[in-house]
Amino acid sequence: MSYQQKNHWRRAMMDGAVHASPLHLAVIPWGVLAGSMAVETGLDFWQSIAMSAMLFAGAAQLVTLGLLNSGAGYITIVISVFFITSQHLLYGLTMRPHVSGFTTPQRIGIGFLLTDELFAISAAKRQVLSFPYLFGVGFSFYLVWVITSLLGILMANMVGDLSRLHLDFSVVATLLAIVVPLTKKISTVCGVLFSLITAITLSMYSISSAIVIAGVGGMFVSVAVSRLLKEEK
């Protein structure tokens, strides 16, 4: 690779990291919470670090730790994590135009780094994005996640009961920061409102699958409204 190509890759990676930086702030308390929960669940220092470094899936990691803490079996954990992260199948299909020209190792790398935030940034761009740019976005999130998880692990040994700080609100803040910029069509607004109302209503009746039902229902509502209004893609 020539110096000019290396310089282009470096600039593209930095652009990706800079564009992702506003969402980095929202992930910080999320990572701290994941690290502290790992310690509270009974994992040692290196196990806690390895979990954040290898799993790199915020919601899945928090749910896994919560289920481990409650004594759930491995089959329950695997099935729960599968459904929680199943949206990545849609993310991957949607991002095919961006990664179709990448080499196999590059596609595997982006697949590992694929998060809600990376998908949101790529969807908002509306044009084919280069590997260095996507890698810059994803790897910057990975670094923030591992570093803040380490901070959470260290804090868990110094600050008792970090759950009192309600750091889990960062999950809501992050998802709001992702969803709001993408809500540009009437069909999307209808789907989001349906999911919100359904999730709140079903949760009030202690229905365990409230989030899944609300999410799937919202997608169907959004598609139905889009076809009814004949919205352009």
Side-chain angles (χ1 to χ4, degrees):
M1 184 182 297
S2 66
Y3 174 79
Q4 187 175 4
Q5 288 177 315
K6 289 182 179 179
N7 195 37
H8 172 73
W9 272 52
R10 191 179 300 111
R11 285 200 308 269
M13 288 175 61
M14 288 301 299
D15 287 343
V18 170
H19 290 165
S21 58
L23 291 176
H24 289 170
L25 299 177
V27 174
I28 291 174
W30 198 345
V32 171
L33 179 63
S36 63
M37 281 186 63
V39 174
E40 292 173 3
T41 303
L43 302 183
D44 62 30
F45 177 83
W46 292 111
Q47 288 173 332
S48 301
I49 286 292
M51 186 175 193
S52 290
M54 297 172 63
L55 189 55
F56 188 43
Q61 188 165 331
L62 293 176
V63 169
T64 299
L65 292 169
L67 290 173
L68 283 174
N69 207 24
S70 64
Y74 293 120
I75 295 178
T76 300
I77 293 174
V78 170
I79 293 175
S80 299
V81 170
F82 173 80
F83 281 107
I84 289 171
T85 58
S86 59
Q87 79 273 16
H88 284 75
L89 296 173
L90 297 177
Y91 291 172
L93 290 172
T94 305
M95 289 187 65
R96 284 186 66 185
H98 295 305
V99 304
S100 60
F102 296 175
T103 64
T104 298
Q106 288 175 342
R107 290 198 299 271
I108 292 174
I110 296 300
F112 174 76
L113 296 173
L114 181 58
T115 58
D116 297 332
E117 295 84 0
L118 174 57
F119 173 75
I121 291 174
S122 65
K125 286 297 179 180
R126 296 289 183 180
Q127 74 257 21
V128 177
L129 301 172
S130 66
F131 171 75
Y133 179 88
L134 292 176
F135 184 82
V137 173
F139 190 67
S140 64
F141 270 108
Y142 180 75
L143 288 179
V144 172
W145 178 254
V146 173
I147 292 172
T148 53
S149 295
L150 174 60
L151 181 61
I153 293 168
L154 298 175
M155 289 178 63
N157 296 318
M158 297 183 291
V159 181
D161 192 14
L162 280 175
S163 61
R164 294 183 294 104
L165 302 178
H166 300 291
L167 297 176
D168 49 344
F169 180 73
S170 66
V171 177
V172 179
T174 303
L175 294 179
L176 283 175
I178 292 172
V179 171
V180 172
L182 297 177
T183 308
K184 300 177 180 179
K185 297 181 179 180
I186 295 177
S187 60
T188 308
V189 173
C190 291
V192 170
L193 290 177
F194 178 88
S195 296
L196 175 63
I197 295 171
T198 302
I200 293 174
T201 302
L202 295 181
S203 296
M204 291 174 61
Y205 290 96
S206 302
I207 297 177
S208 58
S209 302
I211 301 300
V212 175
I213 294 172
V216 174
M219 287 189 287
F220 278 109
V221 168
S222 183
V223 171
V225 172
S226 179
R227 291 183 177 179
L228 182 64
L229 300 179
K230 298 181 179 179
E231 291 180 336
E232 295 181 0
K233 295 182 179 180

